[in-house]
Amino acid sequence: MKRAGRTGLTLAAIVAAGAGGYWAGHRDLALPATPWRQAVAWLEGTAAAPASANPAPAGPVIYYRDPDGLPAYAATPKKTTDGRDFLPVLAGEDLSFEDKPPAAAAPVAAAPANGEPKRILYYRNPMGLPDTSPTPKKDSMGMDYIPVYAGEDDDGSTVKVATGKLQRTGVRSEIATEQVIVRPVRVPGTVQLDERRISVVATRSDAFIDKVADVTTGDRVKKGEPLMRLYSAEIATASAQYLTDLNGSGRASAGARQRLENLAVPLDVIGAIDRTRQVQTSITWTAPRDGVILERNAVEGMKASPGDVLFRLADVSTMWIVADVPEYELGAVKVGAVATIQVRSLPGQIFSGRVALIYPQVTKETRTTKVRIEIPNLDSLLLPDMYADVEIGSGSNAPVVAVPDSAVIDTGTRQVVILDKGEGRFEPREVKIGLQGGGFTEIRDGVTAGDRVVVAANFLIDAESNLKAALSGMTNSETAP
């Protein structure tokens, strides 16, 4: 280039730089002075051409991008709205979206702090498949196998995740602890009478009802309270024989008294014969226990045959709650377990009791087993056949090793927990689980108290850190070459 031409270019560069400086100064912007000075020196011939920071891209044009850096692309040449051309992007230009380290050394040149190069053990599949190679290799899609260095493959199952990725994915871990796990079993139930507290009033001989007391179904009666008066020829004959023995020897025979007792004659009637020395034409039949009259069949003037139910009474001071527990929940329910009951017709009231019996039979139609819970009914609020919601506490009172439910990955055939070993290292560990409740899962084998387990973003570790290959390393006895 001639001297006159270089001088002209120099003046043009100076003018452009001055204009740029004026513009930047009015906008409080700082522009480095070195590049244009080097350009001017090169134009004057006093300095060499500036070296390029990056090698020139090569290859065919693969697409066109917006000249202003906007997210706009085109497969063919295109212009902006103001008439400027889109910029071509060559195949040799860097298209990676990954964060690059400041200096990437060759795999074999990677060295620890002591300066000695790390030894490559093998190369693993970049897609996480359980496939390794002793030499550099590409997979079917052209991706390079990833080198695994000595010290990075501790036991064949430990995987690493970059710190930046851990922060972006929100991985969180907690310490496995020993605690008591209680899992409530919620089932429906019904209120029923205590079968041991039900009584039936009936005669053991033919009788005629002379009078019925003023009691009806639902009334409460006390033990010994009169229910009816009746006449029975067989009872009258036995009473006369008993009185004859009394008048003859002053003491009735055991056989005569036993005959009256066999006819279920109330003891107060027998006592009245002893005191008055008279046979009563009709006798008063009394209530055998405290309770509620559930059924009244006695009618004045009727004839009652032996065994006819004249009254049916029940003591409702204690009630049963019979719950239907599904077959798969039976293992969690134990006799003596605490249960809480809520009756829908009594909102806000909670009754408490304990499991008294697990019935030894499964209903084949519903695949449920009845569980009996006994609760007091002091205020007589509970009525037979009420519907109840039952919650039975299950679990052991002894503390067990437990982790949050989110820490367990259930593959369908086995359960896995990811151990956090620190510094981005993770190890999948197969475990055996037990009870679940309160957001925690019992770990019977595989994890001990104090181990740190991943409780959040487990699936992201699976995606980011070759978890499948690590899982295969847990079961495969083959080691990498």
Side-chain angles (χ1 to χ4, degrees), residues 29 34 56 80 86 95 107 113 189 209 215 271 295 310 365 396 398 428 441 445 480:
L29 298 176
T34 302
T80 62
F86 270 45
L95 302 179
I209 308 301
V215 291
E295 185 179 354
L310 302 177
E365 291 82 7
S396 173
T441 300
D445 185 32

Coordinates of all heavy atoms in Angstrom, one line a residue, residues 29 34 56 80 86 95 107 113 189 209 215 271 295 310 365 396 398 428 441 445 480:
L29 N -19.9 5.9 28.8 CA -19.4 4.5 28.4 C -17.9 4.6 28.3 O -17.4 5.6 27.8 CB -20.1 4.0 27.1 CG -21.6 3.9 27.1 CD1 -22.1 3.4 25.7 CD2 -22.0 2.8 28.2
T34 N -6.9 0.3 23.3 CA -5.8 -0.5 22.7 C -6.2 -1.0 21.3 O -5.4 -0.9 20.4 CB -5.6 -1.7 23.6 OG1 -5.2 -1.2 24.9 CG2 -4.4 -2.6 23.0
A56 N -10.1 -18.8 12.4 CA -11.2 -18.5 11.4 C -12.1 -19.7 11.2 O -11.6 -20.8 11.0 CB -10.6 -18.0 10.1
T80 N -33.3 -8.1 7.5 CA -34.0 -7.5 8.6 C -35.1 -6.5 8.1 O -35.1 -6.2 6.9 CB -33.1 -6.8 9.6 OG1 -32.5 -5.7 9.0 CG2 -32.0 -7.8 10.1
F86 N -29.0 -10.9 7.1 CA -28.7 -11.8 8.2 C -27.2 -12.3 8.0 O -26.7 -12.5 6.9 CB -29.7 -13.0 8.2 CG -30.9 -12.8 9.0 CD1 -31.6 -11.6 8.9 CD2 -31.4 -13.7 9.9 CE1 -32.7 -11.3 9.6 CE2 -32.5 -13.5 10.6 CZ -33.2 -12.3 10.5
L95 N -21.0 -24.2 18.2 CA -22.5 -24.2 18.5 C -22.8 -24.7 19.8 O -24.0 -25.0 20.1 CB -23.1 -25.1 17.4 CG -22.9 -24.6 15.9 CD1 -23.5 -25.6 15.0 CD2 -23.3 -23.2 15.7
P107 N -7.6 -35.5 27.8 CA -8.0 -36.4 28.9 C -6.8 -37.0 29.6 O -6.8 -37.1 30.8 CB -8.8 -37.5 28.1 CG -9.3 -36.8 26.9 CD -8.3 -35.8 26.5
A113 N -3.4 -32.5 42.1 CA -2.6 -31.5 42.7 C -1.1 -31.8 42.7 O -0.3 -30.9 42.7 CB -3.1 -31.1 44.0
G189 N -66.9 -48.3 59.4 CA -67.4 -49.2 60.4 C -68.9 -48.8 60.8 O -69.4 -47.8 60.4
I209 N -100.6 -64.1 79.6 CA -100.2 -62.8 80.0 C -101.4 -62.1 80.6 O -102.4 -61.8 79.9 CB -99.6 -62.0 78.9 CG1 -98.5 -62.8 78.1 CG2 -99.0 -60.6 79.4 CD1 -97.4 -63.2 79.0
V215 N -94.3 -50.2 79.7 CA -93.0 -50.0 79.1 C -93.1 -50.4 77.6 O -93.9 -51.3 77.2 CB -91.9 -50.8 79.7 CG1 -91.6 -50.3 81.1 CG2 -92.3 -52.3 79.8
G271 N -89.0 -66.5 97.1 CA -88.9 -65.9 98.4 C -90.2 -65.5 99.0 O -90.4 -65.7 100.2
E295 N -87.1 -54.8 72.0 CA -88.3 -55.5 71.4 C -89.3 -55.9 72.5 O -88.9 -56.4 73.6 CB -87.8 -56.8 70.7 CG -88.8 -57.5 69.9 CD -88.2 -58.7 69.2 OE1 -87.0 -58.9 69.3 OE2 -89.0 -59.5 68.6
L310 N -90.7 -62.6 74.7 CA -91.7 -61.6 75.1 C -91.0 -60.2 75.2 O -91.7 -59.2 74.9 CB -92.3 -62.0 76.5 CG -92.9 -63.3 76.5 CD1 -93.4 -63.7 77.9 CD2 -94.1 -63.4 75.5
E365 N -66.6 -61.7 49.2 CA -67.2 -60.7 48.3 C -66.5 -59.4 48.3 O -66.3 -58.7 47.3 CB -68.7 -60.5 48.6 CG -69.6 -61.7 48.3 CD -69.6 -62.7 49.4 OE1 -68.9 -62.4 50.5 OE2 -70.1 -63.8 49.3
S396 N -45.0 -49.9 64.9 CA -44.4 -50.4 66.1 C -44.0 -49.2 67.0 O -43.7 -48.1 66.5 CB -43.1 -51.2 65.8 OG -42.4 -51.5 66.9
A398 N -41.3 -49.2 68.7 CA -39.9 -49.1 68.7 C -39.4 -48.3 67.6 O -39.9 -48.3 66.4 CB -39.3 -50.5 68.6
P428 N -26.3 -44.8 44.2 CA -27.6 -45.5 44.4 C -27.5 -46.7 45.2 O -26.6 -47.5 45.0 CB -28.0 -45.8 42.9 CG -26.8 -45.8 42.2 CD -25.8 -44.9 42.8
T441 N -40.7 -43.4 55.5 CA -40.7 -44.8 55.1 C -39.6 -45.6 55.9 O -38.5 -45.1 56.0 CB -40.3 -45.0 53.6 OG1 -41.3 -44.3 52.8 CG2 -40.3 -46.5 53.2
D445 N -33.2 -52.5 55.4 CA -31.9 -52.9 55.0 C -31.4 -52.0 53.9 O -32.1 -51.6 53.0 CB -31.9 -54.4 54.5 CG -30.5 -54.9 54.2 OD1 -29.5 -54.5 54.9 OD2 -30.4 -55.7 53.3
A480 N -14.7 -52.9 34.8 CA -14.2 -52.3 33.6 C -12.8 -52.7 33.4 O -12.0 -52.9 34.3 CB -14.3 -50.8 33.8

